[in-house]
Amino acid sequence: MVAIWKLIYKLNVEYLEIWKVYSFPSPTDVTKTLLNLIGDNTLGIAILASLKIVIIGYIIFIVIGLILGIIIVKFRYIDENLTSLILGLQILPSICWLPFAILWYGLNESSIIFIIVIGSVFSIAISVESSIKNINPIYIKAAKTLGAKGRRIYIDVILPASMPGFVAGMKQGWLFAWRALMAGEMLSATTGLGQILIMGRDLSDISQVIVIMLFIIVLGLIVENLILGKIEKNIKNRWE
């Protein structure tokens, strides 16, 4: 892929001169920018700042989404009247909430956390609601036959059986969280990856933009493969 990238750069920038140097960087330029960002610790500080915000927001919307999903399933009136609204709010891009975040919290980390939570919580609620409704009825019947009732059915049967779908929702929520994080950081006064990305745009430093994009991909894949992916695999193996 790097060789193809280099070939495209040589052909379109140096030989045919279709693109300008500042509009399409070479792998060498991106590597130099990466080393500079690592050398002055700019990248390290930005990664830690972004991870702190996204993890806080992630934990908050997981808890709220889990509770909201259970409430929707538990109360039929809420299910019939709020499910469509929640689906509509999930379709709404998280960037649409930015004006509210700025008015309520200002240009700081709290506003970004709000955008992450509001942009992702509904996907978790929908996943929980769908997972619980799709549980094999024989599990619940067997639990009732053995004497379980009330909250014990939820704690011992329904919630564990809905975990595969819930973890899938967690993975989707992680993606939504990163998108919301970038949208918030690019418009707020923070030291995260989004701010470095927007600085690269303002300075016409396309190499810096590419570096941040690559690191966002890498961080997302690390969490997906090393944490969420393993959790999902273990849960599926347990329930299959």
Side-chain angles (χ1 to χ4, degrees), residues 10 33 56 62 65 74 84 93 97 103 122 125 128 167 176 180-182 227 232:
K10 287 282 187 181
T33 302
I56 293 174
I62 286 291
K74 184 69 175 177
S84 297
W97 295 99
L103 289 173
F122 301 116
V128 172
V167 173
F176 283 129
L181 173 71
M182 290 300 105
I227 301 177
E232 182 180 34

XYZ file of all heavy atoms in Angstrom, residues 10 33 56 62 65 74 84 93 97 103 122 125 128 167 176 180-182 227 232:
159
model
N 4.224 10.166 -7.027
C 5.206 10.450 -8.083
C 4.516 10.797 -9.396
O 4.891 11.762 -10.087
C 6.130 9.235 -8.279
C 7.149 9.005 -7.180
C 8.317 9.955 -7.305
C 9.419 9.618 -6.321
N 10.560 10.569 -6.439
N 6.620 14.226 9.423
C 5.668 14.907 10.304
C 5.372 14.076 11.543
O 5.286 14.598 12.660
C 4.356 15.196 9.547
O 4.632 15.995 8.401
C 3.363 15.914 10.440
N -14.245 8.521 29.309
C -15.247 9.048 30.248
C -16.629 9.058 29.603
O -17.612 8.589 30.184
C -14.860 10.470 30.716
C -13.597 10.419 31.571
C -16.011 11.111 31.503
C -13.061 11.797 31.950
N -22.620 4.157 28.173
C -22.891 2.731 28.332
C -23.864 2.519 29.489
O -24.852 1.775 29.380
C -21.587 1.947 28.579
C -20.764 1.827 27.296
C -21.901 0.548 29.132
C -21.363 0.957 26.239
N -27.285 4.154 28.578
C -27.937 3.384 27.526
C -28.471 2.053 28.034
O -29.561 1.617 27.627
N -39.072 -2.876 29.857
C -39.862 -3.137 31.055
C -41.235 -2.494 30.996
O -42.230 -3.082 31.431
C -39.095 -2.623 32.281
C -39.766 -2.905 33.617
C -39.759 -4.372 33.964
C -40.314 -4.616 35.363
N -40.371 -6.045 35.695
N -39.694 5.105 18.676
C -39.552 5.822 17.404
C -38.757 7.108 17.596
O -37.922 7.470 16.748
C -40.931 6.154 16.823
O -41.641 4.971 16.529
N -27.172 13.411 13.394
C -25.711 13.487 13.588
C -25.358 14.175 14.909
O -26.004 15.153 15.301
C -25.238 14.314 12.383
C -26.312 14.158 11.365
C -27.591 14.050 12.133
N -25.708 18.554 17.990
C -25.843 18.900 19.398
C -24.781 19.888 19.864
O -24.815 20.337 21.011
C -25.761 17.637 20.253
C -26.871 16.683 20.047
C -26.876 15.553 19.277
C -28.185 16.748 20.611
N -28.083 14.915 19.332
C -28.920 15.627 20.147
C -28.812 17.651 21.482
C -30.238 15.389 20.520
C -30.123 17.408 21.847
C -30.825 16.303 21.360
N -23.493 26.198 24.514
C -24.317 27.081 25.338
C -24.402 26.598 26.785
O -24.415 27.397 27.723
C -25.726 27.185 24.748
C -25.856 27.972 23.436
C -27.263 27.848 22.881
C -25.510 29.447 23.661
N -28.106 6.482 22.478
C -29.312 5.892 21.895
C -29.002 4.590 21.154
O -29.849 3.692 21.097
C -29.988 6.901 20.966
C -30.377 8.177 21.656
C -29.796 9.382 21.291
C -31.295 8.167 22.689
C -30.138 10.560 21.940
C -31.650 9.341 23.343
C -31.068 10.541 22.963
N -28.997 1.995 23.870
C -30.364 1.714 24.307
C -31.094 0.831 23.301
O -31.787 -0.125 23.674
C -31.114 3.030 24.511
N -29.673 -2.745 23.502
C -30.159 -3.453 24.687
C -31.608 -3.876 24.494
O -31.987 -5.026 24.774
C -30.017 -2.563 25.934
C -30.707 -3.206 27.137
C -28.558 -2.315 26.252
N -22.858 -6.324 23.569
C -21.457 -6.090 23.193
C -21.361 -5.557 21.772
O -20.533 -4.685 21.472
C -20.627 -7.379 23.363
C -19.212 -7.181 22.822
C -20.564 -7.779 24.823
N -19.282 5.461 17.249
C -20.006 6.725 17.368
C -19.260 7.684 18.294
O -19.239 8.900 18.069
C -21.419 6.483 17.896
C -22.368 5.948 16.867
C -23.129 4.820 17.120
C -22.519 6.571 15.638
C -24.005 4.314 16.180
C -23.391 6.083 14.684
C -24.137 4.955 14.957
N -18.002 11.452 17.357
C -18.456 12.596 18.139
C -17.275 13.329 18.764
O -17.262 14.566 18.839
C -19.421 12.129 19.225
N -16.267 12.574 19.210
C -15.080 13.186 19.803
C -14.378 14.096 18.808
O -14.021 15.241 19.131
C -14.121 12.090 20.271
C -12.757 12.578 20.772
C -12.915 13.281 22.106
C -11.768 11.423 20.894
N -14.176 13.597 17.588
C -13.495 14.406 16.581
C -14.302 15.655 16.238
O -13.748 16.750 16.084
C -13.258 13.578 15.321
C -12.213 12.480 15.469
S -10.577 13.126 15.921
C -10.518 12.655 17.664
N -9.756 -5.530 22.900
C -10.696 -5.442 24.032
C -12.091 -5.905 23.624
O -12.542 -6.984 24.011
C -10.740 -4.004 24.591
C -9.345 -3.571 25.058
C -11.727 -3.929 25.753
C -9.278 -2.146 25.556
N -16.480 -9.923 22.860
C -17.565 -10.438 22.027
C -17.344 -11.914 21.706
O -18.290 -12.718 21.748
C -17.657 -9.624 20.739
C -18.799 -10.057 19.834
C -18.871 -9.238 18.561
O -17.800 -8.825 18.055
O -19.990 -9.009 18.062
